[in-house]
Amino acid sequence: QVQLVESGGGLMQAGESLRLSCAASVSSRTINNMGWYRQAPGKQRELVAVITRSGSTNYENSVKGRFTISRDNAKNTVYLQMNSLKPEDTAVYYCNLRPLAGYYPDNDYWGQGTQVTVSS
């Protein structure tokens, strides 16, 4: 029942900006935290940014000051605004949703992934 649809990936030049979107199929009333992870070729998946139900955010150090995570609760959607893109940002980006306890079977859900490629 919990589905995440990601969009916004693409091929960009270094220094450009891109916004990723992730629309959830469930109400924001049932969502605790949402976040973005990424996996580069030959690397393990890493947390990029997370936003809590209360709106608090945390970022991986390399994206601080460049990326911004936000939520639109009316649209059940989380965004990742990526500015000043660097080639090392190249990865598949995955949306993650963690629901409030008791609503759904699993404790986290994943989007299908969207490719972001940054050329120098």
Side-chain angles (χ1 to χ4, degrees):
Q1 185 177 356
V2 180
Q3 294 182 323
L4 302 171
V5 179
E6 302 176 16
S7 62
L11 196 160
M12 308 297 291
Q13 296 284 107
E16 293 183 335
S17 297
L18 193 65
R19 189 179 74 161
L20 305 182
S21 299
C22 175
S25 66
V26 296
S27 171
S28 296
R29 295 182 296 103
T30 69
I31 300 172
N32 192 3
N33 300 340
M34 297 188 76
W36 290 92
Y37 290 70
R38 67 186 180 188
Q39 188 166 21
K43 303 291 185 179
Q44 292 187 326
R45 187 175 299 185
E46 66 175 359
L47 178 66
V48 178
V50 62
I51 185 165
T52 70
R53 183 174 178 83
S54 65
S56 298
T57 58
N58 281 288
Y59 298 91
E60 193 274 326
N61 286 336
S62 70
V63 309
K64 287 182 178 178
R66 299 190 298 121
F67 291 9
T68 302
I69 188 170
S70 61
R71 294 171 71 160
D72 185 337
N73 289 332
K75 296 181 178 179
N76 307 323
T77 298
V78 64
Y79 303 95
L80 185 67
Q81 178 66 45
M82 303 184 293
N83 297 329
S84 302
L85 283 165
K86 302 176 180 180
E88 51 262 46
D89 295 320
T90 296
V92 177
Y93 284 71
Y94 297 91
C95 179
N96 173 255
L97 182 156
R98 296 183 176 180
L100 293 171
Y103 285 98
Y104 310 110
D106 297 326
N107 59 16
D108 71 327
Y109 295 86
W110 297 92
Q112 80 281 3
T114 185
Q115 177 71 49
V116 174
T117 302
V118 184
S119 62
S120 60

